[in-house]
Amino acid sequence: MYPRLFEPLELGGGVTLPNRILMGSMHTGFEARNAFGELAAFYAERARGGAALIVTGGYSPNVAGNLSAHRAQFSTAADGKGHEAITHAVHAAGGRIVLQLLHSGRYGMHDGIVAPSPIKSPINPRVPREMTAPDIEQTLDAFAAAARLAREAGYDGVEIMGSEGYLITQFLAQRTNQRRDEWGGALANRMRFAAECVRRVREATHAAFIIVYRISALDLVEGGLSTEEIQQVARAVEAAGATLLNTGVGWHEARIPTIAQAVPRGAFAWATRRLKEAVRIPVVASNRINAPEVAEAILERGEADMVSLARAMLADEAFAAKARRGDRAGINICIACNQACLDHYFIGEPVSCVVNPRAGRETLLVLKKAETAKTIAVVGGGPAGLVCAATAAERGHRVTLYEREAELGGQFNLAKRVPGKQEFAESVAYYAERLKRAGVQVLLNHAPSGNELEKFHEVVVATGIDPRRPDIPGVGHAKVVSYADVLNGRVEPGAEVVILGMGGIGFDVALFLAGERRATVDAKAFEAHWGITHAASVPGNVIAGRENAPKRRITMMKRSTTPFGHTLGRTTGWVHRAELARHGVRMLKGVEYRRIDDAGVHALVDGKEILVKADTVILCAGQLPRREVQGAHVIGGAREAGELDAKRAMREGAELGARL
Ligand code: NAP
Ligand code: SF4
């Protein structure tokens, strides 16, 4: 079904990969914990799942290059010994694995950071120390020594992290490299570090040792490299001995989304094609490749020789094996939310996946056949109920799922209408398919009575939430509607809109009303929206984004005085804020609501009475648990509505499904 994806790929040195699927590097949060058992289980599952080549999370070759104060380093014999558990497990599962060597440069969150020039990054308060010439030599030698150790630990190769704004990119761009010695100035000097790094790593290893070089195919920052310069870098690292060129997109300080839901699927493959035009070694496309048809189309268009899937492999460890069988409906698709992967990493928690709660918990959430098959009623077909019903039925229980609406999905059916959140429809379809395969009886348009539930051994209450109706005078006015009415299309808001409540749903509703759906599904519209150019000579490939005439006057309000959007994801909140700011959405905090009337919303802000005119007032004021039935097990929003999100709902569903 996906013939190009499953064509073998010959690398240099006599190595042939069985297919074109690379599992891209992800920080798992286990690196700095030396959790080798967890990492071995995590990677081995993905090797069994058919990934041709796996790249680990980033390890620094020396102290200065660590990403944080916690050591995630690969520089001693003891480090190598620990990693043997990983390489053995992956090889036993029939896979190949390379170790990513990442020097954070000025992005490191610790006090010993270094960089080509002492220029602070906008995303780190620390100023790096300028590297001396001996520092540079030692760092290059550290890369080579780490590669030698990696080979001894059984790794099939290394990936040298030369993108995303880390040390190697800091050498390449004038934005961060203002040196006057042989490591700065003209591009030939600025790319010396990258080429020399590859050369020394090759020299320290052997011809069959895979050297993946992750190149920044698009910097997306002012003062970054142009496409023409990037092609020169690509040729230099090829000449120095790289085996494969993997694509990186955008520095971490770029103000253009590169992997969030705002990015259309496969939107950056064109940049990989530019690399392919420059070199003879195979090139790998990356970013928002979450479905086999997207990957196949990239290969078919000749944009790349291989595709890198990272989060897609968290969402489904057997992505490759299922795609090979043509089982598209059986693939759990990554919805690009970042909520349990990147957002976890940034708060120091091991990564997992919203739609696949077992990811990263392979050793904890073990699914065993049930000792006695029971009859189980799951009431509610939202995220929690779907996962619970599927998991329990796969373990051998006889499960009936009741859903009072005409379709499965619960809150996901509202979320999927928000620009960028179309992917939620994939999760509902995937779990519905699992229910079908596991023989779950699904009863739609059916709210069960107490009598009906009595006959089951176990009853799971997953009835979700009801939106909160705050007690504000005038809340019964005809212009006051719920977010569900708006997202469902039952109400068309007027020209002046007030949104009460600024949690995840308040932001979703604002994006629904102001955002641009086309820019999240169509790569050309995305580029115009965010200001990305294909012009080969423009530094960083960035230009001004398109201005948007606001369609409505939108005001968002909340009572608390915390920063706007502080409950949104660490790695995605800024995208939503930027999007709403460019549409002129006004945000007010510290608001005391007085009343709602024909004129609009009357409130007290900073001690002053204000009136915000409104044709429509949309309530996004949080949720209350919905408990219309009784049962021994209550999960998701029905259990606890505050701070509810899909991550907790699905995790609770999986944990209960595994326990029943
Ligand atoms: P939420 O995040 O808890 O936000 C509720 C909002 O309502 C807050 O802004 C709160 O602000 C306000 N509020 C609470 N009680 C109120 C009252 N009595 N009167 C007036 N205002 C009141 O809940 P949500 O927006 O409904 O989201 C539900 C869950 O889904 C959240 O956990 C959210 O993280 C998740 N979700 C996440 C995303 C995402 O993008 N990551 C998107 C959608 C939903 P004040 O108290 O300051 O007024
Ligand atoms: Fe994808 Fe979200 Fe899972 Fe991360 S948590 S892998 S973004 S679905």
Side-chain angles (χ1 to χ4, degrees):
M1 198 161 171
Y2 307 107
R4 283 170 190 80
L5 208 44
F6 292 98
E7 241 168 28
L9 176 66
E10 266 186 49
L11 306 179
V15 180
T16 303
L17 300 178
N19 63 53
R20 308 296 178 109
I21 298 177
L22 173 133
M23 174 172 157
S25 173
M26 283 175 286
H27 307 303
T28 63
F30 290 126
E31 290 80 14
R33 289 179 167 81
N34 283 339
F36 297 116
E38 282 82 351
L39 284 168
F42 174 72
Y43 291 126
E45 279 212 7
R46 277 131 188 105
R48 265 192 298 281
L53 185 63
I54 293 172
V55 187
T56 67
Y59 287 89
S60 175
N62 63 14
V63 178
N66 272 298
L67 274 165
S68 72
H70 301 290
R71 182 181 186 277
Q73 210 170 305
F74 192 85
S75 56
T76 66
D79 294 329
K81 250 304 34 47
H83 281 246
E84 284 175 7
I86 298 174
T87 56
H88 289 166
V90 169
H91 291 155
R96 284 190 174 86
I97 184 159
V98 301
L99 177 89
Q100 190 188 67
L101 293 176
L102 180 157
H103 191 301
S104 59
R106 69 178 191 160
Y107 280 169
M109 293 293 173
H110 57 87
D111 292 335
I113 59 174
V114 297
S117 299
I119 305 168
K120 194 185 98 54
S121 131
I123 56 171
N124 191 349
R126 300 163 186 85
V127 180
R129 179 176 66 75
E130 179 176 291
M131 292 171 87
T132 61
D135 283 337
I136 293 174
E137 284 298 329
Q138 279 157 8
T139 305
L140 288 167
D141 284 342
F143 270 94
R148 196 177 303 117
L149 269 177
R151 192 197 66 199
E152 285 162 15
Y155 280 106
D156 299 283
V158 290
E159 176 173 88
I160 297 173
M161 184 47 160
S163 68
E164 258 73 6
Y166 292 117
L167 181 74
I168 296 181
T169 21
Q170 291 161 27
F171 268 98
L172 287 166
Q174 263 166 343
R175 174 186 177 86
T176 39
N177 182 348
Q178 290 171 8
R179 300 178 72 93
R180 287 157 185 244
D181 60 6
E182 58 180 323
W183 304 101
L187 180 64
N189 281 355
R190 284 182 277 127
M191 67 186 189
R192 191 184 305 282
F193 188 91
E196 192 55 20
C197 188
V198 176
R199 195 188 66 73
R200 291 193 197 186
V201 166
R202 175 61 73 209
E203 202 173 77
T205 56
H206 54 77
F209 192 73
I210 300 169
I211 302 178
V212 186
Y213 181 85
R214 179 108 175 256
I215 188 167
S216 185
L218 280 175
D219 283 348
L220 301 183
V221 287
E222 283 168 24
L225 298 196
S226 67
T227 303
E228 285 158 356
E229 291 173 317
I230 290 163
Q231 288 178 325
Q232 288 185 54
V233 177
R235 283 191 282 268
V237 297
E238 176 182 40
T243 319
L244 264 175
L245 264 193
N246 193 5
T247 297
V249 180
W251 289 31
H252 286 321
E253 66 205 58
R255 292 290 88 186
I256 294 174
T258 55
I259 61 167
Q261 288 170 332
V263 181
R265 292 175 171 190
F268 296 111
W270 66 271
T272 307
R273 179 198 285 273
R274 297 281 175 88
L275 299 174
K276 192 163 161 56
E277 287 161 7
V279 297
R280 286 184 306 275
I281 53 174
V283 299
V284 188
S286 174
N287 289 46
R288 284 290 275 126
I289 303 173
N290 65 342
E293 66 275 13
V294 179
E296 180 74 11
I298 289 170
L299 299 178
E300 190 175 337
R301 287 195 299 268
E303 289 173 323
D305 304 290
M306 196 170 186
V307 289
S308 167
L309 314 178
R311 294 173 301 170
M313 291 279 181
L314 272 181
D316 198 328
E317 63 284 349
F319 182 104
K322 290 175 185 172
R324 180 188 278 280
R325 295 199 293 272
D327 182 15
R328 169 65 172 84
I331 298 179
N332 197 358
I333 296 286
C334 162
I335 60 174
C337 63
N338 284 0
Q339 250 180 292
C341 49
L342 268 187
D343 286 346
H344 270 204
Y345 176 75
F346 282 107
I347 54 166
E349 276 183 33
V351 303
S352 184
C353 172
V354 166
V355 298
N356 175 18
R358 268 200 83 235
R361 298 197 187 98
E362 285 77 8
T363 55
L364 301 175
L365 197 53
V366 181
L367 304 180
K368 292 202 194 102
K369 272 271 161 258
E371 280 166 21
T372 24
K374 291 189 265 192
T375 55
I376 298 176
V378 176
V379 188
L386 285 173
V387 182
C388 182
T391 311
E394 285 160 359
R395 293 183 46 240
H397 295 304
R398 287 194 303 283
V399 179
T400 303
L401 176 68
Y402 294 96
E403 168 54 52
R404 69 175 194 170
E405 300 293 334
E407 55 178 354
L408 294 171
Q411 294 284 305
F412 273 18
N413 291 326
L414 294 178
K416 73 185 183 196
R417 295 167 197 268
V418 175
K421 295 200 167 184
Q422 307 82 333
E423 301 282 8
F424 279 83
E426 289 276 4
S427 307
V428 179
Y430 164 76
Y431 276 100
E433 179 68 20
R434 262 177 70 178
L435 297 183
K436 196 166 88 191
R437 292 183 189 185
V440 174
Q441 186 185 18
V442 176
L443 300 176
L444 298 175
N445 294 310
H446 194 131
S449 65
N451 281 350
E452 253 176 303
L453 295 176
E454 268 174 17
K455 63 177 192 250
F456 291 93
H457 292 121
E458 305 276 5
V459 174
V460 177
V461 179
T463 41
I465 48 86
D466 279 318
R468 176 186 285 121
R469 245 185 123 64
D471 193 13
I472 301 170
V475 76
H477 194 285
K479 68 172 63 173
V480 180
V481 298
S482 144
Y483 69 85
D485 294 330
V486 175
L487 294 175
N488 267 329
R490 282 197 291 263
V491 170
E492 177 61 27
E496 309 239 24
V497 172
V498 170
I499 295 174
L500 294 192
M502 295 182 69
I505 291 182
F507 272 83
D508 271 2
V509 168
L511 283 171
F512 175 76
L513 296 177
E516 310 242 333
R517 179 173 295 274
R518 216 160 76 76
T520 67
V521 288
D522 174 294
K524 283 278 158 251
F526 169 76
E527 288 161 11
H529 190 65
W530 291 97
I532 301 170
T533 175
H534 289 212
S537 56
V538 175
N541 292 81
V542 278
I543 52 170
R546 199 182 49 219
E547 288 298 321
N548 303 93
K551 297 180 220 155
R552 291 189 172 85
R553 273 171 67 89
I554 300 174
T555 306
M556 300 176 75
M557 296 183 177
K558 64 172 188 164
R559 300 168 307 173
S560 52
T561 52
T562 44
F564 296 121
H566 81 293
T567 58
L568 302 177
R570 277 284 274 265
T571 60
T572 51
W574 68 270
V575 183
H576 302 325
R577 283 191 293 269
E579 187 68 358
L580 295 184
R582 68 153 68 189
H583 286 92
V585 173
R586 190 173 156 216
M587 299 187 184
L588 298 176
K589 58 183 171 183
V591 176
E592 273 182 48
Y593 304 122
R594 290 288 196 241
R595 67 181 188 282
I596 302 167
D597 61 17
D598 289 346
V601 178
H602 298 262
L604 191 69
V605 183
D606 292 335
K608 272 193 238 141
E609 291 276 353
I610 61 160
L611 162 67
V612 181
K613 285 195 205 155
D615 303 311
T616 311
V617 176
I618 307 172
L619 300 177
C620 302
Q623 322 286 345
L624 298 170
R626 183 191 288 159
R627 299 250 182 91
E628 56 216 11
V629 292
Q630 301 295 314
H633 311 282
V634 187
I635 54 172
R639 185 176 76 75
E640 163 81 66
E643 295 304 310
L644 165 74
D645 59 23
K647 182 176 75 177
R648 176 165 69 76
M650 296 183 104
R651 196 193 64 224
E652 288 180 7
E655 286 171 354
L656 179 61
R659 219 171 42 233
L660 282 170

